[in-house]
Amino acid sequence: SKDLMSTENNTRGARKLRKGVVVSKSGAKTVKVAVSYRERHPVYGKIVTRTKNYHVHDEADTAKVGDVVAIMETRPLSATKRWRIVK
């Protein structure tokens, strides 16, 4: 994703990039993407896996449930959509 960031960020500014799995098709040109990350528990110190779901804009409307996608932060597209599919 380094080459993706270098080409995209020159023209649009520093935007967050995440990689996740499509878990749901929620309407036309919208998918729900689950992004998992591991972090240390604040009290017990154990490494735990957390998952966050994002509503993502899919302009081509090609993503299917189970696909691994790269998403990038963008301007608000609706009340909940602030990400778009890059790859």
Side-chain angles (χ1 to χ4, degrees), residues 8-79:
E8 197 72 31
N9 287 344
N10 289 340
T11 55
R12 307 219 39 192
R15 289 165 184 255
K16 294 176 190 160
L17 229 78
R18 302 281 186 269
K19 195 177 281 190
V21 179
V22 177
V23 291
S24 160
K25 289 273 293 174
S26 49
K29 297 189 179 184
T30 302
V31 292
K32 232 168 154 180
V33 176
V35 176
S36 294
Y37 56 97
R38 292 160 57 87
E39 67 181 8
R40 188 171 292 279
H41 190 280
V43 175
Y44 301 114
K46 182 181 168 124
I47 301 293
V48 291
T49 302
R50 304 280 168 97
T51 303
K52 186 164 172 135
N53 289 326
Y54 296 97
H55 288 99
V56 180
H57 184 64
D58 180 15
E59 183 59 43
D61 210 17
T62 55
K64 296 182 288 299
V65 175
D67 289 354
V68 176
V69 294
I71 61 175
M72 179 177 278
E73 195 176 35
T74 186
R75 64 184 174 83
L77 300 169
S78 75

Side-chain angles (χ1 to χ4, degrees), residues 1-7:
S1 88
K2 287 282 186 206
D3 57 283
L4 183 72
M5 290 173 66
S6 62
T7 57

